[in-house]
């Protein structure tokens, strides 16, 4: 089975679930968090919308520094409503899709590095890095569904029915 | 590396990480829930075991028929029972996965509800969806539960406020 196709099919499926979760994001709640040690909702939803960009970077760039010496190159505007998050997801998925459609299984088996402050943190094949990225995406979206529940939003059915959506 | 090898490696990695979460579920808070519409901590942890259990259904046959009316969810009464059930299911799944060939993962698998075909997809896709992603999704939820229960949260893909 072709790895590129497997990854692409899975990304499309997960993007659909992420879209359902981002569509019910309540407006102006970016700073909300369930516990003082938790991450804020806006940061979590931003990751759910933008993680497919990481897949594109893993395919097209040799490495990524998550804390580049000299500070981040660009700062994104914070997003505050579901329309903005869904638009960001569409954009990041389009980047991931186009990167995967133009690559090969052989390229996915080549090495890739994640750095922090110029120092390598993880070194693995692009395929393993993409797999971890998708899992990371699912992890944070799972957390986000609990936030949504606690914020009083309607929780969509993802892998099975939710208390609000039994149509599964 | 074949697709089957990649799936085996990932199953090992994710179930090892998951056990660290399950070990930390407080035994006296299994009935706790963060919201009246949420699973209790015990129901959520039991459901994570169910995600692992799909492995056998996916690779042990070419279809699975479910009747929601008679389906009985896994429910554990204590943390030792949770860990024993999880370990037994992981061990069974590892045995099933060990004999899965690269050809077998591409074979179609049918999900049926009361005998009617709901979908048909390659086994590798169903395993990623029903077992791995499903498990990671609920483990992500459990990480928020642990935080709210004042339990240190283990890292899964990066550092947490505790580790």
């Amino acid at each position: 089975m072709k790895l590129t196709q497997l990854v692409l099919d899975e990304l499309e499926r997960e993007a659909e679930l992420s879209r359902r979760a981002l569509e019910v994001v309540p407006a102006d709640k970016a700073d909300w968090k369930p516990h003082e040690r938790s991450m804020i909702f806006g940061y979590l939803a931003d990751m759910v919308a933008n993680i497919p960009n990481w897949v594109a970077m893993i395919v097209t760039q040799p490495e990524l520094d998550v804390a580049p010496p000299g500070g981040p190159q660009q700062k994104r505007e914070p997003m505050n409503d579901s329309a903005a998050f869904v638009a960001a997801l569409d954009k990041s998925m389009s980047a991931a899709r186009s990167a995967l459609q133009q690559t090969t299984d052989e390229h996915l088996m080549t090495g890739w590095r994640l750095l922090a402050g110029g120092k390598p943190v993880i070194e693995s094949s692009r395929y393993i890095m993409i797999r971890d990225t998708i899992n990371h995406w699912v992890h944070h979206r799972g957390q986000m569904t609990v936030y949504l529940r606690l914020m009083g939003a309607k929780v969509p059915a993802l892998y099975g029915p939710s208390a609000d959506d039994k149509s599964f | 590396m074949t697709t089957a090898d990649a799936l085996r490696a990932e199953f090992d990695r994710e179930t090892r990480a998951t056990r660290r979460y399950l070990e930390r579920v407080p035994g006296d808070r299994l009935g706790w829930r963060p919201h009246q519409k949420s699973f209790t901590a015990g129901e959520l942890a039991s459901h994570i075991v169910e995600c692992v259990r799909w492995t056998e259904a996916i690779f042990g046959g070419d279809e699975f028929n479910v009747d929601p009316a008679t389906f009985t969810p896994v429910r554990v009464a204590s943390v030792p029972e949770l860990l024993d059930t999880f370990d037994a299911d992981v061990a069974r799944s590892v045995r099933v996965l060990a004999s899965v060939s690269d050809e077998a993962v591409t074979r179609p698998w049918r999900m049926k509800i009361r005998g009617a075909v709901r979908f048909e997809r390659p086994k590798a896709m169903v395993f990623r969806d029903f077992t791995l992603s499903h498990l990671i999704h609920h483990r992500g939820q459990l990480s928020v539960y642990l935080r709210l229960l004042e339990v240190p949260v283990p890292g899964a893909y990066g550092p947490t406020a505790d580790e």
Side-chain angles (χ1 to χ4, degrees), chain A residues 13 37 131 143 145 164, chain B residues 37 128-129 141 143 162:
Chain A
R13 153 107 180 120
R37 288 163 75 82
R131 282 256 46 92
Q143 295 181 318
T145 60
D164 298 318
Chain B
K37 286 180 155 185
R128 287 242 23 110
D129 187 344
Q141 295 182 321
S143 73
D162 304 310

Side-chain angles (χ1 to χ4, degrees), chain A residues 12-64:
Chain A
E12 298 288 358
R13 153 107 180 120
E14 294 302 331
E16 168 57 29
L17 304 190
S18 297
R19 168 181 285 273
R20 282 184 219 161
L22 293 171
E23 275 171 351
V24 299
V25 163
D28 302 319
K29 293 277 198 165
D31 292 329
W32 187 88
K33 53 181 171 180
H35 187 279
E36 56 177 14
R37 288 163 75 82
S38 300
M39 57 173 79
I40 58 167
F41 179 71
Y43 186 71
L44 198 51
D46 187 296
M47 279 200 287
V48 172
N50 278 302
I51 281 183
N53 278 327
W54 304 2
V55 174
M57 276 189 284
I58 293 167
V59 176
T60 60
Q61 296 178 18
E63 57 186 32
L64 172 71

Side-chain angles (χ1 to χ4, degrees), chain B:
Chain B
M1 184 177 59
T2 67
T3 304
D5 287 337
L7 291 174
R8 274 188 279 272
E10 203 179 338
F11 180 85
D12 288 344
R13 200 163 61 238
E14 295 302 336
T15 50
R16 260 200 309 276
T18 301
R19 199 180 196 283
R20 296 175 53 222
Y21 281 76
L22 298 181
E23 285 164 5
R24 295 194 187 183
V25 173
D28 56 348
R29 306 304 297 276
L30 292 179
W32 178 86
R33 61 177 97 225
H35 185 280
Q36 57 179 8
K37 286 180 155 185
S38 303
F39 270 147
T40 64
E43 286 165 347
L44 183 58
S46 302
H47 190 50
I48 287 174
V49 174
E50 247 158 11
C51 299
V52 172
R53 200 162 281 185
W54 276 109
T55 311
E56 232 179 336
I58 296 164
F59 291 112
D62 290 328
E63 61 178 44
F64 191 79
N65 183 39
V66 67
D67 183 347
T70 55
F71 177 77
T72 316
V74 175
R75 288 291 177 261
V76 298
S78 69
V79 173
E81 187 191 345
L82 169 68
L83 295 176
D84 285 350
T85 313
F86 178 78
D87 289 345
D89 272 283
V90 169
R92 242 193 341 265
S93 302
V94 166
R95 279 199 297 277
V96 171
L97 283 169
S99 59
V100 169
S101 66
D102 212 35
E103 185 274 324
V105 300
T106 63
R107 221 176 280 157
W109 187 87
R110 283 173 303 280
M111 174 79 185
K112 291 182 169 177
I113 296 179
R114 285 182 223 92
V117 176
R118 173 73 186 259
F119 67 75
E120 182 176 298
R121 287 188 204 133
K123 290 186 178 196
M125 283 291 292
V126 184
F127 180 63
R128 287 242 23 110
D129 187 344
F130 277 32
T131 303
L132 296 170
S133 296
H134 192 186
L135 172 136
I136 295 162
H137 167 75
H138 288 299
R139 191 181 65 204
Q141 295 182 321
L142 185 62
S143 73
V144 183
Y145 279 44
L146 292 179
R147 167 69 70 225
L148 295 174
L149 287 167
E150 306 293 344
V151 174
V153 180
Y157 300 100
T160 70
D162 304 310
E163 291 187 0

Side-chain angles (χ1 to χ4, degrees), chain A:
Chain A
M1 186 168 197
K2 266 176 71 77
L3 286 181
T4 43
Q5 193 57 45
L6 186 66
V7 170
L8 198 52
D9 287 350
E10 196 190 345
L11 265 183
E12 298 288 358
R13 153 107 180 120
E14 294 302 331
E16 168 57 29
L17 304 190
S18 297
R19 168 181 285 273
R20 282 184 219 161
L22 293 171
E23 275 171 351
V24 299
V25 163
D28 302 319
K29 293 277 198 165
D31 292 329
W32 187 88
K33 53 181 171 180
H35 187 279
E36 56 177 14
R37 288 163 75 82
S38 300
M39 57 173 79
I40 58 167
F41 179 71
Y43 186 71
L44 198 51
D46 187 296
M47 279 200 287
V48 172
N50 278 302
I51 281 183
N53 278 327
W54 304 2
V55 174
M57 276 189 284
I58 293 167
V59 176
T60 60
Q61 296 178 18
E63 57 186 32
L64 172 71
D65 197 322
V66 288
Q73 290 162 338
Q74 51 182 31
K75 205 169 171 2
R76 279 201 303 269
E77 283 298 306
M79 295 181 275
N80 240 332
D81 61 28
S82 66
F85 285 112
V86 170
L89 173 69
D90 284 342
K91 205 169 154 211
S92 70
M93 267 306 290
S94 148
R97 204 178 284 128
S98 132
L100 283 165
Q101 281 164 350
Q102 292 170 50
T103 194
T104 60
D105 282 12
E106 290 70 34
H107 180 67
L108 292 192
M109 294 320 291
T110 56
W112 195 84
R113 297 203 303 172
L114 185 76
L115 306 117
K119 291 196 179 68
V121 187
I122 310 173
E123 207 163 341
S124 194
S125 72
R126 286 189 156 84
Y127 174 70
I128 296 290
M129 294 303 298
I130 291 173
R131 282 256 46 92
D132 272 7
T133 301
I134 296 177
N135 292 346
H136 199 158
W137 194 20
V138 175
H139 171 76
H140 286 306
R141 193 182 55 215
Q143 295 181 318
M144 190 180 139
T145 60
V146 183
Y147 280 46
L148 288 172
R149 169 66 72 219
L150 296 175
M151 294 163 95
K154 284 215 183 311
V155 178
L158 296 182
Y159 296 94
S162 76
D164 298 318
D165 185 352
K166 303 285 190 193
S167 65
F168 201 79

